[in-house]
Amino acid sequence: MPEGSTEAGTGTQRRTPQWGMAIDLDRCTGCEACVVACASENNVPTAGEDQAAKGRTKHWIRIDRYYEGDFPNIRVRHRPVLCQQCDEAPCEPVCPVNATYQNAEGLNVQIYNRCIGTRYCAINCPYTVRFFNWYPPEWAEPLGLQLNPDVSVRPAGVVEKCTFCVQRIKRAKLNATAEGREVGDGEIQPACVQSCPAEAMVFGDLSDPSSRVARLANSRRAQRLLEELGTKPRVFYLERAD
Amino acid sequence: MDRRNFFRVVGTASGGAITGACGRKSEEIIPLLVPEEGITPGVESWHPAVCGECAAGCGILARVMASEREIEVDGERVRQRIATVKKLEGNPNDPTSGGRLCARGHAGLQALYGPDRLRGPMRRAGPRGAGRFEAVSWESAMQEAAEALDSAVAEDAGRVVFLSRPRADLRAANIAKFLSALGAPPACAVGVRDFAAEVQGAERAYGWRGIPAYAIRDATLVLSIGADFLSGWVSPVLYTRQFGHMRRGRPGVRGRLIHAESRFSLTAWNADRWLPVWPGGELALALGLGRALVDLGAGASPTRAVEAARAAFAEVDLDEASAACGMSAGTIREVATELAAASAPVVVAGASIVREHSADAVAAASALNVLLGRVGVAGGVMPPPTVLADLVEARPSSNRWRERLANANLVIIDGANPAYSSPSCREALANAGTVISLSSFVDDTSAYADVVLPDHDPLEREAVALPSASLVESVACSARFVAALHDSRPADSVLADLAASAGKPFEPLDAQGALTRLHATLGAGNGAGSSEGFVESALEQGCWQGRPASGGTTGVIGLGAFEVADSMVPAVFQAYESLQFGTGGGANRPWLQELPDPTSSAMWGLPLEIDPVTASELAIENGDIVRARSDHGSLEAPAYVNPAAIPGVISMAMGQGHSQYGRYASGRGANPMSLLGDMRDRRTGATAMGPVRVHLERLDKGKGLIQFSRQDRDVPPHRV
Amino acid sequence: MKRLRADFGDRHAAVGAVRSVIARGVPPEAIELYSRRPIEPYPSLLRRKSRMSLVAVLSAAVVGGTATTLVYRAQMDYPLVTGGMPINSGWATGVVTFETTMAGAVLGIVAALLWEGRLLRRRKPPAPPVPSGGAVIEVSGLDDTNALREVLLQAGAKSVARAD
Amino acid sequence: MQSGHAPYKGVRPPLMLLLFLAAAGVLMAADQPLSFSHAAHIEKARMQCTDCHSGAKTRDAAGIPSIRRCMACHQFIATDRPEIGRLVAYWEKQREVPWLRVYGFAKDAAVQFRHAPHARAEIECARCHGDVASMTVAVPTVIHTMGTCVQCHRDNSASDDCLACHY
Amino acid sequence: MATTGTRGGPVGHAQVCEDLVARMPGSSPRYVGAVAVCGAIVAWALFAWGYQIANGFGSTGLRRPVYWGLYIVNFVFWIGISHAGTLISAILRLTGAEWRRPVTRAAEAITVFCLMIGGLFPIIHISRPWIFYWILPYANERMLWPNFRSPLFWDLTAILTYLTGSVVYLYLPLIPDFAEMAERCTGARRRAYRWLSLGWRGSDRQWQALERAMKLMAIVILAIAVSVHSVVAYDFSMSLTPTWHNTIFPPYFVVGAIFSGIAALVVVMATLRRLMGLQEYLREVHFVNLGKLLLLMSLIWGYFTFSEHLTTWYGNLPMEMDVFQAREHGVYGALFWVMVTCNLAIPLLLLGVSKLRRISTTVVCGIAVLIGMWLERFLIVIPALSTPHLPSIWGGYAPSWIELSITAGTFAAMALLYLVFVKAVPIIAMWEYEGEATPR
């Protein structure tokens, strides 16, 4: 578990939150509401049929679904997969220009304008949740009116990925600071978490033991995806009971 | 100079400038119109709205911020600053959505900003169905429509057909007012989602009118017969929320879900046990379960209702039932035992895939709740809400729409697309007297319209809607909060204008009026305060929420006789409502087109789902182009070998195969309904979605299928 | 001081001549042997001193050390939050150290070659025309040329001339 | 977790002056549609920056005032001036004055700048915008490069996380 | 005409020089035609690159999860071939193999040109090449440095060092020849050669310094060459991609590099021999000797390949087995067996049997090995990327015309550089070559 550290230089010794997520697979139905919510929040463009056929769609969050067994004893295992915001992220050390790194709050950051497009991070991500902008993003008029002004539209040639909706984290923190208070547990919800009808996803500060996400992450059912690779992901999956 | 400064000195010259903004001289400067007051760039505001994507009636929140667009004013290109909806979320106050939203709900934004949305009224410029239109002014379009209405009413108001959707909302109330002012018969709900079977089943089993709600959140065992309540059906958000709570919301209790359906739907994914019922075998399964429960001594405290149910089930032969549904008698007994032993079981009775015997199947399945004593109790089945009777009454039903359409002198269409969901009605549409569409898009049906009077998007108009299922009395409502993007007009006022010009004026109901009426019916005893305060608070909250729907088995049980199901025949086809497109309306939203289909992972197209046994017999592999032929029609689509399909059952999701529906939907894929002909539920007349016998033929090896994930299994075959 | 130049048609004869000249007590620094091909086997009798290896090693150490320091300082003074991974790692820097060390060696060798080979000198006496296959010997700093002229002619020089 | 590193001490930027001089020579006053005088409004009329740039202290964007706001006063004040006449001409056409931005961020810089937190941190307007109060037509006297931002952030112990601005 | 030696070649320095200079191509229509053809292909490749930059990387065949494609394959391939020169020439120089003398310059030139081409591929490969320089460690007002931990940064240092070293290693022995050429030319060419000869006078000091420098350079360049291909291998083995995360990769890549380098040298030599009529200089013995080296490397390569696959198969790690299956039985199975045939079967057959060992068979082997080694790079990069850890996002890859054009363009660029090179300098080191010397 990542420990909270203090923010250097603020002098207030405010604890730096350690963002993380827990996903209860017993609740998750695989309805994909999160997928569209994410595209809508984060200005993720659709690739279109031709590009989709080439495997160039961008889904910052996706539902991995695998069939197990054969009829009639068949079942499906599904799992929402987003950037796991690894503490020991394999994508980070390989970037030659430091366009990706982990910040003090544990977010695995991608700085679009710093990216020169080696795509090394993308191939080194074991979850393959990094996406490349093959073409300049386009929205047929007037679809572009929907774009979220809080999120940069990424130019062609850079790698992008789930940010844990950093714009929402920023806004919540700014609002809290303006009102002279701390950000409360559950106050920040990434778009996927907010939309999830089954309330399978919980986002929050892992370093605060009383937060919901920390309690879920410490539950016996909690596992992490490809944990054996030593990436120390910050997304905890509560495995299905059966 | 310290070290760090040394480094900086060495290379300062290479710094890239962030700004370059003062050099905009070279750019063409497009003037900006003086905006309306109250639009501040960068400031967000949240407004309640009502989701218009399906009939569930979720209360949502819209995030509104300023944007700029370019328009033409008096021949000059100018920029205009407008308030635009940036994001939709569920409305946390709303008891249906509870602050949550499904994929289709999110994509409602792309209907609002759809590039193919009509910019203004249109007049047909080609033959019917060709989809060629020319833009006209509102005056001339209204005049044309009014003349058609005049002559049709003068001829025979009884032959005016209004095709709509089965929603209990402001629009339905106004349509009802419009039609009654004209003296025309009530509107018809078309499409495959009018829940006629559910309504009739509830009436027969519980004596309720409307769609019952299931409080699965408090159940310990949920048996769903034919209701794919997690991916569509009545109210996916409400039921998914409840499902989450049922599973992990109660300390120490994990509710169990058994799902009986003829395909491996999303609900089956999430079920602890899937009962693969042969298509059309839902009735037999419900009857068999009833018989087994009777044998187990269920319904020990007899009321009249329980007696009726016992009597109906006692006649069933378990082996016959087992043979008709494809489940062994042992399995049926096992499930019945589990139901009888559970502390809080509930049977969700539905017809996600409507059959010829769906009304019977739903009634029989509902009767299981009667037998188990789970009607109107916590964790059981709850009665439909009864507030705002105007809206409830105005909710259109199927109402023999095909027969009436065949004989129509005027067809008005709002929110329905029968040319897609029942392709066999196209001929009737082509031959109808005059066709007026209120659609925002030229879809399959609007292509037959003589004049299209585009409606506002649901997000651009005020709304009052009753949720199609709710555990409490509630209403979702909203006031207008953004200006219309295009030159559209709300259909309510268009209808009022048309009626007025036909000399049959009526007063359209608005949100204010409906809520005032709601306040009045609630009476003073509800603590609702003044009428104005009530309305204002409801519009601010985006909803009104009352007490839990009052329940109890009040009605007289009239299960009646059940028709016996056909025997099982191999290679049958069924269509189903897709998670992403519903019954087809979502197909013009690029987000949804690029959303992998849960079953096949297909994007930008939907496959024919073939079971592995049939597929290997015909040497069909994923992506091969396959032709399916039934007695009613044929289609060609890429194949997906669905590992979970029942051998001999071919399924296909609805959504693709639009002849007209904008750039993202039209001409893409195949329409599964074209294989079904005029198949209906025998009791309610609702459009049935199978089974029909099909013949499959592989046409082409190929890459016809675009999949997000081409691997169906976590463990590739060679690893086994 | 005088200089003497002897032309040889045969390279090997020239080597013998060098040997004889040295035997006459002329210091090797005063002798220059020009040829179009290196004369093999090597005329080691001239014993030219070389510090090329030393220069290469020093240059390698300096360049490699500087680069390593730069990497270390840049990483420590402008640190990125890495979420637990080391900011500076000897293993990762090792590659850079190795490569830059080698680059330093190459540069050192080039520099030493330019210096010791007296290349890139602006003011130089014009090179004597060396016959193909032959060699030219220049002996400088002589007080008396006559004795040496004899020696050179005896060793097989085709012609011997003053080259001042 | 790597615990916090020693906070950056105030680092004097020796090159800032040079940069400033070099860039100031290159950049010239934007050719604004109206020669709006900041000095006349602030020094003479004693107005505050936020009277027109109303979001500067509380919102993300300071905002360029709408012509509506100009006309609120200039319907009555100084109506005889030729520049005001041109302003009224825009107003009568119901067009905004097509002001040219003096400061801003390049689109591909992916910068999410918010005014409010800077105002809360009591950063003077002039720190980034120069002494606009004494200018006639505003000119970019402060050179905005990433270095400007980073330096100021470090000097003030503000976050120097890339994510502070770029997302 | 020059006097001819016992083997038909010219004897004596003057004759050798004369003969070699005479064989440098003039402006014959054939030469101009070859330059034009190569130039056209290169121009087309440059157009393709421009198209890619202007239209975005979507114009390539890359896709998720195969974010690296032919550019990386070519990068590894060309850097591999670059080991032809310096490494081989350094080994031969250090071991005092006298037969190397007519071979070294051709080999060293390969190195320099291949590095120029190979070093271009990272720039072609990145999608925003206009800010390529951000990878360089220079102080800047953004206070940002490159990531020294990135293998791509190591690549940068390694390739720059290797390029510097190789250019020096090619240039130093050219100095006496430049001086020689200056005497044989007039006008601008003379001035250019004189300038390039750095004031070379042929004094014994210079010869000694040159010989010493070359010896030292041979040692240094050997170390650099080994490190360069190890660093290229680190690009792969530092990642978590199944089958890449592998300690065998650095030596495996070095061996493969030398292997393909020798093959390239054989092919280049045969071409020069044919086109420039160098039969007297590049004799059967050179080819046979290189053939023996090639055979040795083939065996070592086979050993490494076997070890790599055996450990993967025996370890039976699920993720690695997915790649293994894809590589040997799936779509790439055919390519795999072509690779094995080219790299192992053909050299073993043609070079292992002494009776079959001659110029023609060596050249056939060289071509086969070039094809095989290109395929080896392809089979390392593509199958592993197309089967990442999570099966849900497995995908394929097919290069588009852009990548194919650029690939073709680099081969043409190689030919073009060589065409210009042989016109400017004698391809055999004149001062090193001794007509009558018996090759050892």
Side-chain angles (χ1 to χ4, degrees), chain B residues 6-12 14-16 708-711 713-716 718-719, chain E residues 64 133 138-143 145 318-319 321-322 325 391-396:
Chain B
F6 165 74
F7 283 146
R8 194 166 327 114
V9 173
V10 175
T12 315
S14 50
F708 176 80
S709 176
R710 271 177 276 172
Q711 292 294 318
R713 297 186 184 259
D714 192 9
V715 181
H718 65 261
R719 272 204 224 155
Chain E
R64 191 160 71 118
Y133 65 92
Y138 65 98
N140 57 74
E141 52 89 42
R142 294 185 214 92
M143 305 182 208
W145 290 86
M319 318 278 178
M321 282 310 282
D322 293 338
Q325 289 290 331
S392 65
I393 28 134
W394 286 6

Side-chain angles (χ1 to χ4, degrees), chain E residues 87-227:
Chain E
L87 195 68
I88 294 161
S89 129
I91 292 172
L92 297 179
R93 217 179 267 278
L94 287 177
T95 53
E98 285 300 320
W99 59 268
R100 77 183 144 88
R101 289 179 184 276
V103 173
T104 48
R105 181 162 296 156
E108 287 153 14
I110 294 180
T111 298
V112 172
F113 299 151
C114 286
L115 272 179
M116 287 160 68
I117 291 168
L120 209 56
F121 269 108
I123 305 177
I124 299 174
H125 166 80
I126 66 172
S127 48
R128 308 216 292 173
W130 53 91
I131 46 173
F132 175 75
Y133 65 92
W134 281 3
I135 201 176
L136 298 171
Y138 65 98
N140 57 74
E141 52 89 42
R142 294 185 214 92
M143 305 182 208
L144 281 170
W145 290 86
N147 182 3
F148 302 102
R149 294 172 299 161
S150 170
L152 293 183
F153 181 78
W154 306 346
D155 265 346
L156 179 87
T157 56
I159 288 173
L160 282 183
T161 301
Y162 194 33
L163 190 59
T164 315
S166 304
V167 168
V168 166
Y169 196 65
L170 172 69
Y171 183 69
L172 295 189
L174 267 170
I175 295 173
D177 279 357
F178 280 140
E180 188 77 51
M181 292 296 291
E183 281 186 23
R184 291 167 191 278
C185 296
T186 52
R189 277 186 81 145
R190 184 189 177 89
R191 276 200 300 281
Y193 283 125
R194 173 139 295 162
W195 186 75
L196 284 167
S197 70
L198 306 178
W200 180 268
R201 304 165 71 213
S203 76
D204 69 299
R205 281 173 206 281
Q206 292 179 329
W207 286 121
Q208 283 190 45
L210 180 65
E211 295 270 357
R212 185 168 285 123
M214 286 308 290
K215 209 154 244 166
L216 284 174
M217 277 304 297
I219 297 168
V220 172
I221 210 86
L222 210 58
I224 296 175
V226 169
S227 80

Side-chain angles (χ1 to χ4, degrees), chain B residues 81-108:
Chain B
R81 188 169 288 159
I82 52 171
T84 47
V85 185
K86 295 291 182 187
K87 179 85 176 35
L88 300 178
E89 306 280 5
N91 181 353
N93 300 321
D94 180 64
T96 311
S97 74
R100 310 286 162 169
L101 197 57
C102 70
R104 288 173 61 199
H106 283 293

Side-chain angles (χ1 to χ4, degrees), chain E residues 13 15-25 101-109 113 170-171 173-185 189 193 196 272 276 278 281-282 418-433:
Chain E
H13 185 62
Q15 283 80 358
V16 167
C17 291
E18 217 163 84
D19 187 52
L20 283 173
V21 170
R23 289 185 191 283
M24 281 161 70
R101 289 179 184 276
V103 173
T104 48
R105 181 162 296 156
E108 287 153 14
F113 299 151
L170 172 69
Y171 183 69
L174 267 170
I175 295 173
D177 279 357
F178 280 140
E180 188 77 51
M181 292 296 291
E183 281 186 23
R184 291 167 191 278
C185 296
R189 277 186 81 145
Y193 283 125
L196 284 167
L272 292 174
M276 293 175 67
L278 297 175
Y281 299 89
L282 303 171
Y418 236 96
L419 280 170
V420 173
F421 184 71
V422 294
K423 191 172 167 68
V425 299
I427 193 62
I428 289 169
M430 299 190 294
W431 64 270
E432 276 203 284
Y433 186 77

